[in-house]
C-alpha cells in the first residue's frame, strides 16, 4: 500500500495544477495517471485562456459573458470565482515560462473568441493546451512531486454509510499497467479526481481515446451525483474524417464558414446576424447541421471553413498548427483551399458535482477540470473558458485537499433539503446492472466504523477478484463490440439535435450494452501492459456515464444551451433554471434538481434572450 | 545527409505467416479477418481494398509470444487511413491482445511513435496510402520492448529530466499581474523547440544515443535549448545550463548525422539546435571531452 496526504488522479491541466497547489500548501502529494503526464488530453487544446488582463476589460465583463454563454445555467459564485482568478493564474503561467504569443511590446497577446464581448483569449499559437500542459509538468518535475505514471485507477475506496453525504473517501485502487500489479493508494487528506472528459461515449469526437469518463463513473458509484450531464458541447469545427479539432481561433482570427452554394450562411440564413461565425458554439453547430440537413452541405456531410484571406503571414504566426492538422488528417492545404468541418463531440459541461472548493458531497473526495461540474459552463461553454477552469479550480481543489481554508462555499452538494425530486419521468427500461459488482466504489461490507486501512484493503481485494475473473473467463463478449455499439447509439440519438423518442431509443441500447457487459471477458491472458483489460474497465465506465447523459437529456424537456429538444423549442426559465443531478443509489439512478444560483457578489444575473 | 537506420537484432523474427497459423490463437483470428476482408474486397472491387500490415509481436509472459515474431493483418482500407487506424482496427476486430500506446490520434500526445517501414514515425500522422506494402510496424529501436509495440520510455524520461527541464527565473516583475516581457523575435527563436511532444522518435533514431546510454540525446538537448535561448531566464542560469550541456555526454557527442531532425514529427530542427548550443558553449567556456 502507498500512502500520501493528497492523491491526484489524472495529470492533465487540472491534475497538475492541483498537485502543485497541494504541494505548495505543504502536503505530501502524488499523482496517479493512466498515461504519462505529457500525454494528457489537455495537450490537444488549441484556442486559449480567457482572462481579463487588459485595460477596458474586467472580470465582471468576463463573468457576464460566461453567464450569458451558459444560457443562465452557470452558478454565479463559480463563474465569478473563475473570472476573478483567471488573470492572476494566467500570468502565473507566464511566470513559469509559458511561451504565450506576444505583441510588439513584449506583452502577451489576446484575441477575440466566440461569445466574448472583449478580445480576452490569451494564447500560444494554436497549441495553447500543449504549452500549458508541458509548462505545468515542468513545474511538477521542478518540485519533485511523485508521479505514478501508467497506473490506471480502477476504483475508489469509500466508506459505506447509507447517505453518500456521510461517506468518506480514503484512497484509490490502481493497476500498474506495465506489471499488472494492483495496489491501494491511501490518501490521508483527500483524493482529487482530475480525470478529464467522457468524449469516448460518442463515435465522432475531438477527444483522445483515453477520455473515457473514469473519474465520473467512479465518483458516481461512490455516491457523488453527476450534474448537468445532458449538456454535451459539440464543437462546430472538427475534421469530418477523424474528429480532429480545428480551433475556434480560426474564426477568432476571421475565418469564414460557407455552405455548398458559397453562402456565408451564419449571416445569409440569419443564424447570428451580429456575431456570425463568432456566435457561441451551440449556435454555430446547429447552424451547420441545419445547412447540411437542408441540402446545402458539402457532400451532404460538412461545410467549409475558409481562412485563405487571412494571408500566409498571419496564418503562420497564429494558426500554423491548423495548417498541419488539415494537411495531415484531411489532405487539405488551408492556404489554398477551404477546410471541411462539421460538429463533433468536444466537451462535457456537466460532470461530478462539486462546490467552489472542488469538494464533492463525499468527504475527502474532490474533482476538478472537465470531469467536474462547478458549474461554470452551465448549458454551453464559451471557447477559451476550459483552460482557466483547469488552473483556477485545479488549484483550489489541491489547496483545499491539502487542508487550506478557502472559506465556506456558496454552492451546495449532494442530496439535501434544497433539492426537488424527479417523480414524473417514466424510463423506457429499468437501468439494470453492468458487470460484476454494481456497488463497486463503496466498501460493501465495511460498516460505518471500519478503519481507513480496512476499507482500502477490501477495495483492493474486490478489484483483484474482478480482474482475476475477467482474465480467467475464456469466452464471451469483447469490450470493443460493446463500446462501438454504445458510441453509435449516442451519436445517433443524443447528438446536437435530440428528440424524446430518440433518447429513449438510446437508453434501450445502453441497457442492452449493460446486459452484454455481464458476459464481457478479456482475451489477453498477460499481466504485462494488458490494454485489453484496461479498455474493458473503461468501457464499463462509459456505459454508466452515457446513461447519465441520456437520462439528463430525457428529463430536461426544454431547449437550453447545447441541449436542443425538438418537442420543446423554448427555453423554459420558469421550470428549468435548475441543475439536473443523477445519483447512483445502488445501481438505480435517482434524479433530482437543485436551483441555479444567479446571485453574484454584487449583482443578480437576470436571464435574457441570447442573441449573437 | 544520409540516415542510417539499424534494425536491432531482436526484431529479425520469422516472417512467414503460415508458420504461425497453427500455433497462435491470434493467427487464427487473423485468418477470420482475412476472410472478412476478402468479401469486402470482392464487393468493392476497388484497388488497394485492404492494407497489409506486418506487426511485431512479443510478450515476455505469454508462451506463444516469448519468441518475437511478426503477425500479418489485412485491414479494410479507407481513404485517409493512418497506421494507427490500421493497428486499432486489427486490435478491435482480429486480436484484442495487440498492444500499443495511443491517445490523442492527432499528433500532440506523442505516445504512438513506432518504427514503420524502417523509419520512426507517429502512427496517427502516417498515411497508409503513402507507404509501400506490406507495411512493417515495429517498436522503436534501441529501446527495451515491454510488449508488442510498447517500449520502455523510462530512460528517455530520465534523460529529459537530467537537463533541469523547467523555467528558472526567480526574479519576477513586481505585481502579480505584471508579466515578463518577451520579444516576438525571441519567442520565434524558441518556438520550434517548444513543440516537442516527447515521443522519443529522435532518441530512437540516433546512432550515438544507441551506443552511449549516458548521452543526453536530441530531445533532452532540445529541451535545454528551449530554456537556454529564452531571454526571460538570466545569464547565470544560462551558464549553468551550458555547463550541463557541455559535459562529457552532452552536446559534443552529437555527430550531426541529422537522423533526429529527419524523423521529428513536429519538424523541430534538432541538429541545428545542438550545433547552436555547441557554438554557445565555445563562446562561454571551451571544453572538449
Amino acid at each position: 500500500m502507498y500512502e500520501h496526504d493528497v492523491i491526484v488522479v489524472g495529470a492533465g491541466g487540472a491534475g497538475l495544477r492541483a498537485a502543485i497547489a497541494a504541494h505548495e500548501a505543504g502536503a505530501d502529494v502524488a499523482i496517479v495517471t493512466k498515461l504519462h503526464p505529457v500525454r494528457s488530453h489537455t495537450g490537444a487544446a488549441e484556442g486559449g485562456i480567457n482572462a481579463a488582463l487588459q485595460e477596458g476589460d474586467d472580470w465582471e465583463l468576463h463573468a457576464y459573458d460566461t453567464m450569458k454563454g451558459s444560457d443562465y445555467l452557470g452558478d454565479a459564485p463559480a463563474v465569478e470565482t473563475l473570472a476573478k482568478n483567471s488573470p492572476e493564474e494566467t500570468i502565473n503561467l507566464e511566470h513559469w515560462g509559458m511561451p504565450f504569443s506576444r505583441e510588439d511590446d513584449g506583452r502577451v497577446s489576446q484575441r477575440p473568441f466566440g461569445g466574448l464581448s472583449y478580445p480576452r483569449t490569451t494564447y500560444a499559437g494554436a497549441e495553447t493546451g500543449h504549452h500549458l500542459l508541458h509548462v505545468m509538468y515542468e513545474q511538477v518535475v521542478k518540485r519533485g512531486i511523485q508521479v505514478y505514471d501508467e497506473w490506471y485507477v480502477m476504483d475508489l475506496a469509500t466508506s459505506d454509510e447509507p447517505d453518500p453525504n456521510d461517506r468518506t473517501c480514503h484512497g484509490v485502487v490502481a493497476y500498474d499497467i506495465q506489471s499488472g500489479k494492483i495496489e491501494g493508494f491511501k490518501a490521508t487528506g483527500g483524493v482529487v479526481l482530475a480525470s478529464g472528459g467522457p468524449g469516448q461515449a460518442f463515435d465522432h469526437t475531438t477527444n483522445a481515446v483515453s477520455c473515457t469518463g473514469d473519474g465520473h463513473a467512479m465518483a458516481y458509484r461512490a455516491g457523488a451525483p453527476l450534474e448537468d450531464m445532458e449538456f454535451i458541447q459539440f464543437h462546430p469545427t472538427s475534421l469530418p474524417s477523424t474528429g480532429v479539432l480545428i480551433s475556434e481561433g480560426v474564426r477568432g482570427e476571421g475565418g469564414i464558414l460557407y455552405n455548398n452554394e458559397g453562402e456565408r450562411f451564419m449571416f445569409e440564413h440569419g443564424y447570428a446576424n451580429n456575431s456570425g461565425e463568432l456566435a457561441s458554439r451551440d449556435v454555430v453547430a446547429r447552424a451547420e447541421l441545419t445547412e447540411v440537413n437542408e441540402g446545402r452541405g458539402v457532400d451532404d456531410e460538412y461545410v467549409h471553413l475558409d481562412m485563405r484571406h487571412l494571408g500566409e503571414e498571419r496564418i503562420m504566426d497564429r494558426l500554423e498548427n491548423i495548417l498541419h492538422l488539415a494537411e495531415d488528417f484531411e489532405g487539405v492545404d488551408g492556404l489554398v483551399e477551404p477546410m471541411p468541418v462539421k460538429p463533433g463531440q468536444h466537451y462535457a459541461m456537466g460532470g461530478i458535482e462539486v462546490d467552489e472548493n472542488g469538494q464533492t458531497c463525499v468527504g475527502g473526495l474532490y474533482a476538478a477540470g472537465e470531469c467536474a461540474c462547478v458549474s461554470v459552463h452551465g448549458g454551453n461553454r464559451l471557447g477559451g473558458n476550459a483552460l482557466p477552469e483547469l488552473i483556477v479550480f485545479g488549484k483550489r481543489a489541491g489547496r483545499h485537499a491539502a487542508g487550506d481554508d478557502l472559506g465556506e462555499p456558496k454552492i451546495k452538494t449532494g442530496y439535501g433539503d434544497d433539492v426537488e425530486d424527479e417523480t414524473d419521468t417514466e424510463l423506457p427500461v429499468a437501468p439494470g446492472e453492468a458487470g460484476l459488482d454494481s456497488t463497486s466504489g463503496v466498501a460493501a461490507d465495511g460498516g460505518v466504523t471500519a478503519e481507513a486501512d480496512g476499507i482500502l484493503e477490501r477495495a483492493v481485494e474486490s478489484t483483484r477478484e474482478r480482474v482475476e475473473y475477467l482474465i480467467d473467463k475464456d469466452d464471451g463478449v469483447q469490450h470493443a463490440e460493446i463500446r462501438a455499439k454504445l458510441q453509435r447509439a449516442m451519436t445517433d440519438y443524443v447528438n446536437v439535435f435530440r428528440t424524446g423518442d430518440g433518447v429513449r431509443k438510446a437508453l434501450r441500447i445502453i441497457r442492452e450494452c449493460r446486459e452484454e457487459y455481464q458476459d464481457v471477458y478479456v482475451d489477453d491472458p498477460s499481466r504485462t501492459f494488458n490494454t485489453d483489460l484496461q479498455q474493458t474497465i473503461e468501457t464499463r465506465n462509459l456505459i454508466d456515464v452515457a446513461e447519465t447523459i441520456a437520462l439528463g437529456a430525457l428529463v430536461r424537456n426544454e431547449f437550453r444551451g447545447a441541449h436542443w429538444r425538438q418537442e420543446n423549442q423554448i427555453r423554459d426559465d420558469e421550470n428549468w433554471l435548475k441543475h439536473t443531478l443523477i445519483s447512483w443509489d445502488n445501481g438505480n439512478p435517482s434524479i433530482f434538481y437543485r436551483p441555479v444560483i444567479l446571485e453574484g457578489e454584487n449583482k443578480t444575473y437576470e436571464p435574457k434572450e441570447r442573441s449573437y | 545527409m544520409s540516415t542510417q537506420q539499424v534494425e536491432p537484432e531482436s526484431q529479425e523474427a520469422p516472417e512467414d505467416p503460415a508458420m504461425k497459423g497453427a500455433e497462435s490463437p491470434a493467427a487464427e483470428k487473423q485468418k477470420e479477418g482475412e476472410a472478412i476482408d476478402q468479401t469486402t474486397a470482392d464487393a468493392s472491387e476497388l484497388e488497394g481494398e485492404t492494407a497489409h500490415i506486418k506487426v511485431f509481436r512479443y510478450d515476455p509472459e505469454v508462451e506463444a509470444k516469448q519468441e518475437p515474431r511478426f503477425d500479418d493483418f489485412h485491414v479494410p482500407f479507407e481513404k485517409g487511413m493512418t497506421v494507427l487506424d490500421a493497428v486499432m482496427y486489427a486490435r478491435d476486430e482480429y486480436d484484442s491482445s495487440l498492444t500499443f500506446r495511443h491517445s490523442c490520434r492527432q499528433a500532440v500526445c506523442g505516445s504512438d511513435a513506432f518504427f514503420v517501414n524502417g523509419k520512426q514515425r507517429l502512427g496517427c500522422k502516417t498515411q497508409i496510402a503513402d507507404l509501400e506494402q506490406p507495411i512493417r510496424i515495429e517498436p522503436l529501436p534501441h529501446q527495451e520492448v515491454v510488449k508488442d509495440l510498447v517500449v520502455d520510455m523510462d530512460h528517455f524520461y530520465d534523460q529529459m529530466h537530467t537537463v533541469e527541464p523547467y523555467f528558472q527565473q526567480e526574479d519576477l516583475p513586481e505585481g502579480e499581474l505584471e508579466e515578463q516581457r518577451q520579444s516576438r523575435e525571441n519567442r520565434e527563436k524558441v518556438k520550434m523547440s517548444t513543440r516537442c511532444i516527447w515521443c522519443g522518435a529522435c532518441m530512437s533514431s540516433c546512432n550515438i544515443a544507441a551506443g552511449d546510454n549516458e548521452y543526453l540525446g536530441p530531445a533532452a538537448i532540445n529541451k535545454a535549448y528551449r530554456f537556454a535561448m529564452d531571454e526571460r531566464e538570466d545569464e547565470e542560469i544560462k551558464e549553468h545550463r551550458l555547463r550541463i550541456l557541455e559535459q562529457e555526454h552532452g552536446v559534443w557527442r552529437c555527430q550531426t548525422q541529422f537522423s533526429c531532425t529527419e524523423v521529428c514529427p513536429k519538424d523541430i530542427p534538432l541538429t541545428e539546435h545542438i550545433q547552436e548550443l555547441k557554438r554557445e558553449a565555445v563562446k562561454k567556456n571551451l571544453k572538449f571531452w
Side-chain angles (χ1 to χ4, degrees):
Chain A
M1 190 192 292
Y2 299 91
E3 185 176 328
H4 297 274
D5 297 337
V6 176
I7 304 277
V8 177
V9 180
L16 297 172
R17 191 66 191 85
I20 294 167
H23 184 262
E24 285 181 344
D28 160 33
V29 55
I31 297 170
V32 188
T33 166
K34 68 180 179 181
L35 306 168
H36 181 278
V38 302
R39 318 280 177 223
S40 305
H41 188 57
T42 298
E46 294 167 9
I49 307 172
N50 294 339
L53 290 174
Q54 295 178 15
E55 266 181 51
D57 196 8
D58 67 43
W59 72 263
E60 286 179 303
L61 279 173
H62 184 184
Y64 173 78
D65 290 344
T66 304
M67 287 300 284
K68 178 184 171 191
S70 80
D71 225 346
Y72 302 93
L73 202 67
D75 282 327
V79 168
E80 293 192 342
T81 302
L82 176 91
K84 269 191 225 170
N85 290 298
S86 181
E88 183 189 333
E89 287 304 312
T90 304
I91 296 305
N92 185 47
L93 289 171
E94 202 286 333
H95 289 172
W96 285 345
M98 177 134 167
F100 282 116
S101 292
R102 301 278 166 169
E103 292 300 323
D104 287 340
D105 63 1
R107 289 184 176 272
V108 297
S109 288
Q110 295 198 297
R111 66 181 167 202
F113 246 52
L116 300 184
S117 57
Y118 195 93
R120 73 169 70 89
T121 306
T122 322
Y123 62 99
E127 51 203 36
T128 314
H130 162 80
H131 294 302
L132 178 130
L133 178 69
H134 282 254
V135 163
M136 278 204 280
Y137 178 58
E138 288 159 19
Q139 293 298 313
V140 162
V141 173
K142 184 178 184 182
R143 288 161 172 76
I145 293 170
Q146 170 106 44
V147 180
Y148 298 89
D149 65 306
E150 295 190 331
W151 276 82
Y152 177 46
V153 173
M154 286 188 165
D155 233 327
L156 303 178
T158 308
S159 62
D160 71 343
E161 288 82 356
D163 183 349
N165 297 22
D166 297 332
R167 291 179 191 163
T168 308
C169 178
H170 294 289
V172 306
V173 183
Y175 157 82
D176 179 5
I177 298 171
Q178 286 222 18
S179 73
K181 195 170 62 170
I182 293 166
E183 291 290 342
F185 288 72
K186 185 176 163 187
T188 50
V191 171
V192 182
L193 295 172
S195 50
Q200 287 297 321
F202 292 81
D203 78 349
H204 185 81
T205 174
T206 66
N207 282 198
V209 181
S210 55
C211 295
T212 52
D214 300 325
H216 292 80
M218 290 189 292
Y220 177 48
R221 294 197 293 260
L226 298 185
E227 177 178 355
D228 294 339
M229 293 299 287
E230 63 273 26
F231 291 101
I232 295 289
Q233 179 160 75
F234 297 89
H235 196 289
T237 58
S238 72
L239 294 177
S241 60
T242 50
V244 165
L245 175 68
I246 295 300
S247 168
E248 186 163 317
V250 175
R251 283 171 290 136
E253 297 291 344
I256 296 175
L257 291 167
Y258 293 109
N259 63 18
N260 71 354
E261 290 166 17
E263 296 169 310
R264 192 175 180 181
F265 58 86
M266 289 307 297
F267 291 104
E268 292 188 36
H269 289 267
Y271 297 107
N273 289 325
N274 296 319
S275 307
E277 285 83 3
L278 279 177
S280 77
R281 290 176 174 180
D282 55 334
V283 176
V284 183
R286 280 193 296 273
E288 291 176 359
L289 279 189
T290 304
E291 289 298 298
V292 171
N293 292 344
E294 292 181 0
R296 295 187 296 274
V298 184
D299 290 345
D300 285 334
E301 194 196 353
Y302 52 86
V303 296
H304 275 142
L305 174 61
D306 196 351
M307 63 175 184
R308 291 173 293 183
H309 55 286
L310 302 177
E312 185 170 350
E313 194 186 336
R314 184 145 164 214
I315 292 171
M316 288 307 286
D317 183 38
R318 299 172 175 211
L319 299 165
E320 183 189 341
N321 185 39
I322 300 305
L323 285 180
H324 299 312
L325 295 174
E327 174 66 40
D328 291 342
F329 298 103
E330 210 70 46
V332 165
D333 180 352
L335 290 175
V336 298
E337 49 194 327
M339 301 174 284
V341 291
K342 73 174 197 180
Q345 192 283 344
H346 181 58
Y347 189 89
M349 269 75 73
I352 304 161
E353 186 204 37
V354 292
D355 61 28
E356 308 96 293
N357 302 332
Q359 214 172 1
T360 71
C361 72
V362 173
L365 185 62
Y366 296 78
E370 190 177 342
C371 73
C373 180
V374 189
S375 72
V376 285
H377 310 304
N380 169 64
R381 176 175 70 80
L382 294 182
N385 261 356
L387 297 184
E389 182 194 11
L390 302 183
I391 50 181
V392 169
F393 292 101
K395 178 181 178 181
R396 291 177 72 87
R399 283 183 59 193
H400 200 271
D404 268 9
D405 183 5
L406 300 179
E408 195 60 30
K410 295 195 176 68
I411 295 170
K412 300 259 185 299
T413 55
Y415 193 86
D417 297 339
D418 58 334
V419 305
E420 167 202 344
D421 288 302
E422 168 63 52
T423 48
D424 290 345
T425 300
E426 283 203 15
L427 301 182
V429 283
E433 290 198 3
L436 314 165
D437 180 6
S438 64
T439 59
S440 73
V442 178
D445 57 350
V448 290
T449 56
E451 295 290 331
D453 284 3
I455 290 169
L456 199 57
E457 275 162 25
R458 270 190 295 280
V460 170
E461 212 38 57
S462 101
T463 305
R464 283 185 185 145
E465 280 169 21
R466 187 172 166 211
V467 166
E468 292 290 334
Y469 174 84
L470 287 170
I471 291 184
D472 288 348
K473 194 169 175 331
D474 287 333
D475 207 356
V477 189
Q478 287 191 333
H479 69 82
E481 204 180 306
I482 303 172
R483 193 187 288 214
K485 182 173 176 172
L486 185 80
Q487 291 172 329
R488 192 70 246 160
M490 293 299 282
T491 296
D492 284 348
Y493 301 118
V494 202
N495 213 319
V496 177
F497 295 126
R498 300 161 175 191
T499 66
D501 283 349
V503 174
R504 281 187 199 93
K505 267 186 207 155
L507 280 164
R508 282 195 287 270
I509 297 170
I510 293 166
R511 170 64 195 257
E512 282 170 32
C513 291
R514 283 191 176 284
E515 281 164 5
E516 284 164 21
Y517 196 90
Q518 297 276 20
D519 192 30
V520 81
Y521 83 116
V522 175
D523 196 35
D524 187 353
S526 179
R527 295 280 164 176
T528 305
F529 224 98
N530 192 332
T531 51
D532 192 4
L533 170 65
Q534 187 188 333
Q535 290 169 331
T536 300
I537 308 287
E538 288 172 343
T539 300
R540 163 72 201 282
N541 292 337
L542 283 172
I543 294 172
D544 284 344
V545 176
E547 184 171 75
T548 62
I549 296 169
L551 283 172
L554 181 68
V555 295
R556 186 179 287 275
N557 189 20
E558 65 153 353
F559 172 23
R560 183 180 301 271
H563 177 62
W564 183 101
R565 269 289 290 267
Q566 191 182 37
E567 298 90 331
N568 198 340
Q569 286 288 294
I570 301 162
R571 188 180 79 188
D572 179 3
D573 286 344
E574 200 175 317
N575 294 305
W576 285 103
L577 276 172
K578 59 189 183 188
H579 299 291
T580 327
L581 293 152
I582 303 178
S583 197
W584 175 248
D585 200 11
N586 284 326
N588 281 309
S590 73
I591 301 169
F592 55 98
Y593 306 103
R594 171 172 275 122
V596 64
I597 305 173
L598 295 173
E599 296 82 39
E601 193 177 279
N602 302 318
K603 67 172 182 185
T604 297
Y605 298 83
E606 293 295 339
K608 291 182 202 151
E609 196 192 338
R610 276 167 81 220
S611 59
Y612 286 100
Chain B
M1 288 163 241
S2 71
T3 312
Q4 293 175 22
Q5 304 291 1
V6 183
E7 292 183 33
E9 280 176 23
S10 68
Q11 292 175 358
E12 289 173 6
E15 282 183 49
D16 180 4
M19 247 180 72
K20 305 184 303 287
E23 55 190 55
S24 93
E28 277 173 39
K29 290 204 173 198
Q30 153 218 334
K31 276 190 202 157
E32 288 169 29
E34 280 174 306
I36 295 164
D37 300 341
Q38 207 49 53
T39 17
T40 318
D42 291 340
S44 61
E45 290 182 355
L46 291 169
E47 54 174 19
E49 65 282 353
T50 60
H52 179 187
I53 57 175
K54 300 175 86 67
V55 186
F56 179 84
R57 306 301 302 273
Y58 165 74
D59 186 332
E61 246 188 278
V62 176
E63 210 181 328
K65 281 172 74 184
Q66 281 169 350
E67 186 63 37
R69 64 164 199 252
F70 282 85
D71 277 356
D72 292 66
F73 298 98
H74 297 264
V75 176
F77 175 77
E78 281 175 38
K79 186 176 168 283
M81 184 177 228
T82 64
V83 166
L84 179 64
D85 293 334
V87 287
M88 282 172 77
Y89 189 95
R91 177 196 64 195
D92 291 348
E93 301 292 325
Y94 306 149
D95 180 0
S96 62
S97 74
L98 177 56
T99 304
F100 46 93
R101 290 190 181 99
H102 67 301
S103 186
C104 76
R105 86 271 178 267
Q106 60 182 85
V108 291
C109 80
S111 58
D112 69 337
F114 308 135
F115 196 55
V116 181
N117 279 1
K119 187 182 169 185
Q120 288 80 1
R121 316 175 204 239
L122 289 186
C124 64
K125 227 195 119 162
T126 306
Q127 294 282 325
I128 293 283
D130 295 341
L131 299 169
E132 196 174 310
Q133 292 194 32
I135 300 163
R136 281 165 66 97
I137 306 170
E138 301 166 66
L140 289 181
H142 307 314
Q143 273 143 298
E144 195 186 327
V145 178
V146 176
K147 176 174 167 182
D148 295 348
L149 301 175
V150 174
V151 294
D152 188 341
M153 293 289 287
D154 284 351
H155 178 63
F156 177 83
Y157 297 143
D158 288 345
Q159 297 306 80
M160 293 300 272
H161 290 168
T162 307
V163 299
E164 301 184 8
Y166 36 81
F167 193 67
Q168 297 182 48
Q169 172 60 281
E170 308 305 329
D171 191 18
L172 294 168
E174 294 202 3
E176 63 192 22
L177 290 184
E178 196 54 45
E179 66 228 68
Q180 305 161 96
R181 304 287 180 106
Q182 183 185 24
S183 68
R184 293 171 74 111
E185 294 71 30
N186 185 248
R187 178 179 188 272
E188 202 59 31
K189 183 168 181 61
V190 298
K191 185 174 86 178
M192 293 310 288
S193 66
T194 63
R195 291 197 173 155
C196 174
I197 55 172
W198 296 44
C199 68
C202 56
M203 191 79 157
S204 163
S205 77
C206 174
N207 287 323
I208 315 306
D212 174 3
N213 220 25
E214 287 178 64
Y215 173 43
L216 292 174
I221 296 175
N222 173 72
K223 188 76 180 169
Y225 178 98
R226 178 257 166 282
F227 294 109
M229 295 299 172
D230 192 316
E231 66 188 11
R232 292 174 294 173
E233 280 193 346
D234 63 28
E235 280 302 308
E236 208 175 307
I237 177 69
K238 183 171 178 177
E239 278 171 32
H240 170 67
R241 291 193 183 283
L242 287 173
R243 278 196 294 277
I244 296 173
L245 290 167
E246 62 176 0
Q247 54 160 308
E248 187 177 351
H249 299 276
V251 289
W252 301 110
R253 278 284 188 271
C254 170
Q255 294 183 7
T256 51
Q257 293 179 341
F258 286 88
S259 331
C260 53
T261 305
E262 196 160 295
V263 300
C264 177
K266 306 308 277 188
D267 301 325
I268 301 170
L270 292 147
T271 316
E272 244 174 73
H273 286 170
I274 300 171
Q275 302 324 301
E276 205 177 330
L277 287 168
K278 284 181 187 169
R279 288 198 295 275
E280 288 294 309
V282 170
K283 275 194 268 172
K284 297 279 178 203
N285 179 18
L286 182 64
K287 193 174 182 185
F288 287 109
W289 287 90

